[in-house]
Amino acid sequence: RQRQMCIRDRPTTYLDIAYQVEILDLLMELNKKRGTTILMVLHDINQAVRYSSEIFVLENGIIERQGTPIDVMTHDAIADIFEVDADVEMRRGRPSISINGLLD
């Protein structure tokens, strides 16, 4: 049986929060129930962490970091990649990120 792939570029852009969650939940259901590989671009760090089993961080088209959300979204990595200060706390087994501001 051939695996299916679904590619989505910013599927939650311009949607209210409830619809964002609904779309991402539907994509995860597609992944779990049908075994469909989901490749999507998300600019919301917390959505990426919540809905991804693996994260790729690109800069100028080059993969700068790759791995699980726990491995990729650390305080130091976020500072290095995005040049912001952030608090990273574990919630429900995944990182939760709060941006404090730009690095000085």
Side-chain angles (χ1 to χ4, degrees):
R1 180 177 156 156
Q2 191 174 24
R3 287 195 51 109
Q4 298 286 318
M5 178 180 252
C6 177
I7 300 173
R8 294 290 175 256
D9 184 12
R10 296 170 286 212
T12 57
T13 300
Y14 304 119
L15 297 178
D16 291 336
I17 294 170
Y19 292 117
Q20 292 177 24
V21 171
E22 184 176 349
I23 292 293
L24 293 169
D25 285 348
L26 286 169
L27 288 169
M28 291 305 95
E29 184 177 326
L30 189 64
N31 171 259
K32 289 178 179 146
K33 289 188 177 177
R34 295 192 183 172
T36 302
T37 299
I38 309 292
L39 174 65
M40 63 182 153
V41 175
L42 295 171
H43 290 279
D44 183 309
I45 294 174
N46 285 302
Q47 284 182 347
V49 166
R50 179 177 176 189
Y51 288 96
S52 301
S53 57
E54 188 162 359
I55 291 179
F56 296 81
V57 178
L58 284 79
E59 184 175 357
N60 297 320
I62 297 170
I63 297 173
E64 293 294 327
R65 306 224 182 210
Q66 172 186 352
T68 66
I70 292 171
D71 293 335
V72 173
M73 291 300 163
T74 65
H75 175 271
D76 291 339
I78 292 168
D80 184 46
I81 296 164
F82 302 108
E83 299 178 357
V84 295
D85 177 51
D87 293 327
V88 180
E89 298 176 21
M90 293 301 291
R91 292 192 184 150
R92 298 182 183 161
R94 294 192 175 256
S96 177
I97 298 132
S98 297
I99 304 299
N100 299 317
L102 296 172
L103 291 176
D104 296 326

